[in-house]
Amino acid sequence: MTIKFSKRNLYWFTFGLFILFLFSPVCVKFLTDTWGETWLTFIRPLLICTTIISACFVVKHKSIALAILSIFMIMTICEWVMIRNYSIYMDIDHFMAFATTNIEESTTFASNNLQALWYIVPMVFLFIFISIGYIYSIAPNFSIRLKTFLACTGITLLGVIPFEKINDINTFHDVKSSIFDNTLTTPPMNIAHLTKITIRKIHRSMQTNDFVFNSTRTKQVNNKEIYVLAIGESVRYANCSLNGIYPRKTMPSLECQSNLIFFHNYYSGGCSTSISVPMLVTRATAEENSLSYQERSIVQVFNENDFTTVVIKRGILSQISSAYLYQGVDYTVDVSSDAEVFQKIDSLSKEHEKLFVMFQLQGSHFYYDNFPEEFNKWSPNCKYDRGIESDSLYINGYDNTILYTDYLLNSMLDSLEKQEAIAAVWYVSDHGQTITATQGWHGSVCDENEYHVPLCIWYSDEYKLYNENAIKQLGNHIHTPINSDNIFYTICGMTHIELPESYAHEKWDISSYQFEVHPRKIIVAGQIRNLDE
């Protein structure tokens, strides 16, 4: 029998290839998953892929349809990378990481995933091939294409509800939750859903141009004041020698700082940078996360009280999409290395009488190569010994990055002490890290290593004279359960900045005698977890 390869056959052949392309991540996940998917969770994405393709083929202008499908192509490749590395689909944490990445991170990520080219390149060529086929094919008349779309949509709507739990669905809320849990969290609809969330955040953050806290200072001083919020990257509590448990001296310099308070029971509010950092610099919490883009950050508080505010653009703060976290800042400074961050702080602290600086370091970001050769203390490691087979490559490299950060932080503290100013530094990591013999990651498993992170507060001798009561209160809580909810209010309390009643929360200020412990909650894959239950 001979198959006549007409242009109409080419159309349906192209239609099928598009479906296969979008559906491929689900197929791979289903075939490789060890904890088992049900057939319904396998079939639903297939139905949705078919509906999306049929909808695009109904669009009159093929250029618009191809533009939509191109977006799905890019995110499908990202989905493949997630499945290959972590055996999970993309959630909001991962999507924000892709959406807010910078050149440095993306280059490092690409160079360490070159082996992924064997499936990325064929997928790109496949997409180009079927796109050409789509452009030059003669589709059936509009009536047939419309009927195809309506049929696919109807079947998909029936397929998104888990029939095996139909008896548990009694209300519209149950149906809505079922559709969300079983549809919007799997490819390809998770891509559209996560894009919508990101756009909504950006739009709302643009509406805070006129926002003010109307904060005031309860204690005015004539002395020079310097305050620094230093955000670390991927440093976990377990590997910090300041905890008194870890056998390696990863923080030898900070251990010698007499005016440093180290907190042993601090948890991050998220296991990814895009979630955790906004919760550090704003009043946002796991339950009221929208405050991160509905209000301004801690920068605004210092602006209102006649401080010169500076943001050093490193880490997530170097990304355009994160500019809402420092709206209203007086100056931004571009840097290309962690060492340069501290050089800038040294010069800034000598230029201004009232100064607040905020920055994030590259720190211990995966692939654990952010340290110069003179800090290559533990080897073999993943920076200088990649050709060597060893289970210690990643943990050795990781500890070297902490050692280097320790040196940089200590240099800054020594420099600030020489200023003879009322000064305080808050150093806190955005999240931790899970590390194995072959890789490191965060956000997908979210065990204690990913949210139990270091928090250090340093103060100058002059600060102790200025606010001795705060120092005593902080010292009383080094083992108290605290989290990122406390940072914003503690910074305000330690600098004698008072917020209006509608924004104040003195019970979350660790330096206040009114401080009270509250449940620590975290956002994981878009869901809220209570870590103290």
Side-chain angles (χ1 to χ4, degrees), residues 25-44:
V26 178
C27 188
V28 172
K29 177 75 162 55
F30 182 82
L31 294 175
T32 59
D33 218 337
T34 56
W35 45 265
E37 296 266 13
T38 66
W39 279 104
L40 277 175
T41 57
F42 178 74
I43 293 173
R44 284 191 198 99

Side-chain angles (χ1 to χ4, degrees), residues 105-114 367:
E105 287 186 357
S106 58
T107 301
T108 303
F109 182 82
S111 64
N112 286 275
N113 282 276
L114 291 177
Y367 295 85

